[in-house]
Amino acid sequence: MFRATLIALSFACASVATADTRVPQSQAEISLGFAPVVKEASPAVVNIYAKIVRQGRANPFFSDPFFRDFFGGGSAEPRPRVQNSLGSGVILSQDGYVVSNYHVVGTATEIRVVTTDRREYSAQVVLGDKESDIAILRLQEADDLPFLELRDSDQVAVGELALAIGNPFGVGQTVSSGIISGLARTGAATGNARGYFIQTDAAINPGNSGGALIDVNGDLIGINTAILTRSGGSNGIGFAIPANLVAEFLRQAQEGNDHFVSPWAGMAGQHMSADIAESLGLVIPLGVVISDLHPLSPLADAGLRVGDVVTHVDGDEVNSPAEMKFRMSVAGVGGTSVLTRLRGEESSDLEVALVRAPETPSADETTLDDQTVMPGLTVSRVNPAVITRLGLVLSQTGVVVVDADRYGGRSGLRVGDVVNGINGAQIEHPQDIVDALTDPGRRLNFDILRGGRSVSLRFRL
């Protein structure tokens, strides 16, 4: 939509074949700098004010009657507290679809969106995903809004000029310039080991989250989401979620999905290190080594096995599990992807179906009632869909805590805990937990698996 006709300094991007730019024709055009593209693009970048209600901590003194009376009464129950969140967003369509970060609005109870011309809209999250840190909002009673076109982020090149637009520190809409300084950034250095980001040196600060990273044509390259910093401010290394993934989120939101559905690989993999490459007889460390496959994995159906190396997905090189997930997520559920497999010295292409994580066996999700000692506790049988949702290990089986609720949380249970036994009785199905917590006696002993470690919870009722 926003194609600036006067773009200064665009000669720096002339080598990028996909960018529709031209060399400035006069000194007057050069003197304008980035003003024309900012003027066109900035109305599509909004400020977001979100109200988040968080459960406060219980006051331990109020559990004791003496201190409760001494301080004039009070309750040991934790009190909710309201936290205000500030961020940015980008309008993606005329009818009011806006993208921001999940950490800005994902758990908000009230969202207010303000445009550059001071119009205010109420908004609600229609689709969000914590892992990807993306949320799609829908503005209420909005129409004929300015919006940004999504660029094919696979065509972005290191060295391109880029502009970051957002609301850092709440000072108002601000523009900073830089270049694309890296691509396909993954790993703990980005602050999200599962993420896949475009890196820029354009200044990104708190409040910029959810804002736009655009090219010199005003097209959206990515959504600013994180910085690498020791001081809390910008040190010249910022990360943006690629526009291609944003486009898939927008498509699913417009189709009515209330949660993001990404293809299920059913595999665990690891980055190819020099040592692993040497052990496999490879000259150059390249690709992702498959370390585990679920029996229902579509990769296994296609002929891959543990020890194979995946080097490309749909022709794009991959060097980490996060890159594989990104490429398959962009392709979307329902189609196929071509994976290039390296087994020994033989390379071959395999077509893999892009499917949802299967609900096999049935989850049989169960919420305990008042007839048990932990009403509100919700548990489920583990299956691939549950493994994906809770981030469990690929080989996990059994019964897992989906929601600890009030009483389960007080007892020390957490979401993701796999319950192996209660008072010595083996747990294999959610109904087993219902039975074990109905009139269990005066003592409870939970044997659980938490993060790969065995934990025992013991307490009196």
Side-chain angles (χ1 to χ4, degrees):
M1 179 177 179
F2 297 114
R3 295 286 181 183
T5 57
L6 301 176
I7 300 174
L9 305 179
S10 62
F11 58 85
C13 294
S15 61
V16 183
T18 57
D20 182 17
T21 61
R22 67 179 180 86
V23 176
Q25 301 298 305
S26 67
Q27 182 63 38
E29 290 187 7
I30 294 176
S31 66
L32 286 173
F34 293 112
V37 69
V38 171
K39 182 179 180 180
E40 293 289 335
S42 60
V45 182
V46 297
N47 297 337
I48 296 178
Y49 302 89
K51 182 182 293 185
I52 302 172
V53 178
R54 300 191 184 279
Q55 193 68 20
R57 293 183 178 180
N59 191 324
F61 289 104
F62 287 154
S63 297
D64 188 301
F66 172 80
F67 286 105
R68 187 166 58 245
D69 294 339
F70 182 81
F71 286 108
S75 172
E77 296 297 323
R79 293 183 178 180
R81 57 188 177 88
V82 176
Q83 177 179 330
N84 293 315
S85 174
L86 174 68
S88 307
V90 182
I91 304 174
L92 299 178
S93 68
Q94 286 184 328
D95 56 350
Y97 282 97
V98 175
V99 62
S100 186
N101 284 139
Y102 185 91
H103 75 261
V104 174
V105 298
T107 59
T109 57
E110 182 180 331
I111 303 171
R112 185 163 54 93
V113 174
V114 182
T115 62
T116 55
D117 59 4
R118 298 186 179 87
R119 286 182 292 172
E120 294 190 14
Y121 297 92
S122 295
Q124 61 180 7
V125 176
V126 294
L127 189 153
D129 184 68
K130 183 177 181 180
E131 182 179 320
S132 301
D133 199 18
I134 300 178
I136 302 294
L137 310 173
R138 185 72 185 274
L139 304 188
Q140 298 177 9
E141 299 180 359
D143 191 22
D144 197 25
L145 295 173
F147 65 94
L148 291 184
E149 294 284 357
L150 292 163
R151 180 178 166 187
D152 181 358
S153 54
D154 285 341
Q155 302 303 316
V156 175
V158 173
E160 279 193 54
L161 292 174
L163 302 176
I165 308 177
N167 184 14
F169 302 111
V171 300
Q173 191 175 89
T174 303
V175 181
S176 55
S177 67
I179 64 170
I180 302 301
S181 54
L183 299 172
R185 294 303 195 215
T186 62
T190 67
N192 183 344
R194 298 183 179 183
Y196 178 92
F197 302 101
I198 294 171
Q199 179 181 306
T200 180
D201 69 347
I204 296 174
N205 286 291
N208 269 112
S209 293
L213 185 68
I214 63 173
D215 63 15
V216 291
N217 294 308
D219 291 335
L220 189 67
I221 297 173
I223 298 298
N224 300 321
T225 189
I227 57 176
L228 189 61
T229 179
R230 294 179 179 176
S231 63
S234 175
N235 287 341
I237 299 181
F239 302 100
I241 299 168
N244 284 3
L245 185 57
V246 175
E248 178 61 17
F249 268 80
L250 177 62
R251 183 189 69 80
Q252 292 195 23
Q254 291 174 329
E255 290 181 353
N257 285 13
D258 59 1
H259 67 280
F260 184 67
V261 179
S262 59
W264 181 66
M267 63 153 280
Q270 62 185 103
H271 173 77
M272 176 72 75
S273 66
D275 291 339
I276 296 175
E278 183 179 359
S279 68
L280 296 174
L282 301 178
V283 177
I284 300 175
L286 176 68
V288 180
V289 183
I290 298 177
S291 57
D292 193 12
L293 279 174
H294 193 278
L296 300 177
S297 168
L299 275 66
D301 288 342
L304 285 98
R305 68 189 188 199
V306 173
D308 285 347
V309 179
V310 178
T311 60
H312 296 78
V313 175
D314 293 327
D316 294 305
E317 184 178 300
V318 292
N319 288 291
S320 70
E323 287 186 66
M324 282 190 63
K325 179 177 176 62
F326 170 79
R327 293 296 172 194
M328 295 173 72
S329 295
V330 167
V333 171
T336 60
S337 278
V338 176
L339 273 59
T340 302
R341 176 192 65 187
L342 188 63
R343 180 180 292 172
E345 297 181 354
E346 179 186 350
S347 179
S348 57
D349 290 336
L350 300 174
E351 189 174 57
V352 175
L354 300 178
V355 300
R356 297 170 181 255
E359 293 276 3
T360 305
S362 173
D364 295 330
E365 187 170 301
T366 302
T367 299
L368 277 64
D369 59 22
D370 292 336
Q371 300 301 313
T372 68
V373 296
M374 288 187 183
L377 176 69
T378 303
V379 292
S380 169
R381 190 156 53 166
V382 175
N383 61 29
V386 174
I387 288 172
T388 301
R389 178 156 56 105
L390 299 182
L392 305 177
V393 296
L394 201 61
S395 58
Q396 186 64 62
T397 59
V399 179
V400 65
V401 175
V402 175
D403 184 0
D405 201 61
R406 179 181 175 183
Y407 294 102
R410 283 185 175 182
S411 302
L413 292 173
R414 302 177 188 173
V415 173
D417 284 348
V418 177
V419 182
N420 292 326
I422 299 177
N423 287 348
Q426 188 174 353
I427 302 299
E428 298 180 346
H429 189 276
Q431 185 59 42
D432 295 337
I433 292 185
V434 175
D435 295 340
L437 296 183
T438 301
D439 193 20
R442 300 298 299 169
R443 296 178 182 274
L444 273 179
N445 182 11
F446 277 80
D447 294 318
I448 63 175
L449 190 66
R450 176 181 295 166
R453 299 176 58 186
S454 296
V455 177
S456 182
L457 300 178
R458 291 183 173 89
F459 45 90
R460 297 183 64 182
L461 296 177

